[in-house]
């Protein structure tokens, strides 16, 4: 039995030695990871996207959503339009902790179509508070027209050129009713 005992002790000594070597290797690797090498200075040049360009780009996506046959897409379009207007008001420097306060600050002096925007914002709130709430495509389109008018009032979307009589303005969501 003494021979077996010596062999077992030798095996454990070799395992201990191997474990010590592994620990040394791991600690050296950790030490290398903790060494911070100075990084060269990189000049980062920001190319801010113009607010009007951002609005136009997002607005095209929102207009695409309302063309969907799914009412959930229409609701999403309305929520995105509201968020986009809120972002524009913030970036224009209007104070307020939420969209409602910024709309109050803006008032009809900044956004002549403010009453329609308020109606659209209330519709958005109805959807946000009850996602099962569905509105007709016509009412969502009417609300989106209010947001579009607000973007025009703020000078962020160009006012379309008048169309010759008999032609339909395709940039609008819905044809306006005759006078």
């Amino acid at each position: 039995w003494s021979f077996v005992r010596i062999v077992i002790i030798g095996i454990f000594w070799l395992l201990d030695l191997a474990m010590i070597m592994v620990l040394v290797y791991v600690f050296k690797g950790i030490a290398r990871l903790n060494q911070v090498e100075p990084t060269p200075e990189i000049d980062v040049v920001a190319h801010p996207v113009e607010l009007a360009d951002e609005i136009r780009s997002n607005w095209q996506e929102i207009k695409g959503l309302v063309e969907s046959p799914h009412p959930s897409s229409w609701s999403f379009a309305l929520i995105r339009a509201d968020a986009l207007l809120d972002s524009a008001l913030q970036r224009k420097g209007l104070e307020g902790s939420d969209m409602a306060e910024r709309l109050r600050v803006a008032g009809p002096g900044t956004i002549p179509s403010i009453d329609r925007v308020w109606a659209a914002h209330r519709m958005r709130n109805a959807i946000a508070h009850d996602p099962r709430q569905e509105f007709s495509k016509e009412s969502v389109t009417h609300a989106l027209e209010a947001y579009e008018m607000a973007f025009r009032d703020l000078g962020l979307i160009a006012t379309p050129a008048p169309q010759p009589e008999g032609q339909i303005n395709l940039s609008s969501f819905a044809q306006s009713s005759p006078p």
Side-chain angles (χ1 to χ4, degrees), residues 108-126:
T110 305
I111 303 174
S113 60
I114 194 84
D115 290 334
R116 288 189 65 191
V117 173
W118 271 112
H121 181 65
R122 283 190 290 275
M123 184 183 290
R124 173 262 177 218
N125 284 345

Side-chain angles (χ1 to χ4, degrees), residues 20-34:
I20 289 171
M21 289 173 44
V22 167
L23 287 174
V24 167
Y25 179 77
V26 167
F27 283 124
K28 280 186 175 183
I30 291 172
R32 270 186 277 140
L33 289 175
N34 287 334

Side-chain angles (χ1 to χ4, degrees), residues 23-122:
L23 287 174
V24 167
Y25 179 77
V26 167
F27 283 124
K28 280 186 175 183
I30 291 172
R32 270 186 277 140
L33 289 175
N34 287 334
Q35 293 175 348
V36 178
E37 294 182 21
T39 57
E41 290 293 320
I42 299 173
D43 290 332
V44 178
V45 179
H47 295 286
V49 176
E50 289 291 323
L51 178 58
D53 293 337
E54 183 179 330
I55 299 297
R56 280 191 295 274
S57 171
N58 281 294
W59 191 247
Q60 292 306 313
E61 292 175 19
I62 291 168
K63 285 170 61 172
L65 286 170
V66 83
E67 296 304 322
S68 167
H70 306 288
S72 61
S73 294
W74 310 337
S75 297
F76 186 56
L78 190 61
I79 290 170
R80 281 197 54 199
D82 191 84
L84 188 60
L85 180 59
D86 188 31
S87 174
L89 294 175
Q90 287 175 4
R91 289 179 59 186
K92 286 248 184 207
L94 275 83
E95 299 291 322
S97 62
D98 59 16
M99 172 75 157
E101 285 186 19
R102 282 184 277 281
L103 286 175
R104 282 187 203 96
V105 169
T110 305
I111 303 174
S113 60
I114 194 84
D115 290 334
R116 288 189 65 191
V117 173
W118 271 112
H121 181 65
R122 283 190 290 275

Side-chain angles (χ1 to χ4, degrees), residues 130-144:
D130 182 8
R132 294 173 303 199
Q133 176 81 39
E134 288 186 1
F135 292 95
S136 69
K137 185 173 184 175
E138 183 179 298
S139 60
V140 171
T141 297
H142 187 71
L144 290 173

Side-chain angles (χ1 to χ4, degrees), residues 155-170:
L156 299 172
I157 292 179
T159 304
Q163 297 292 318
E165 201 168 317
Q167 284 190 334
I168 299 172
N169 182 357
L170 297 177

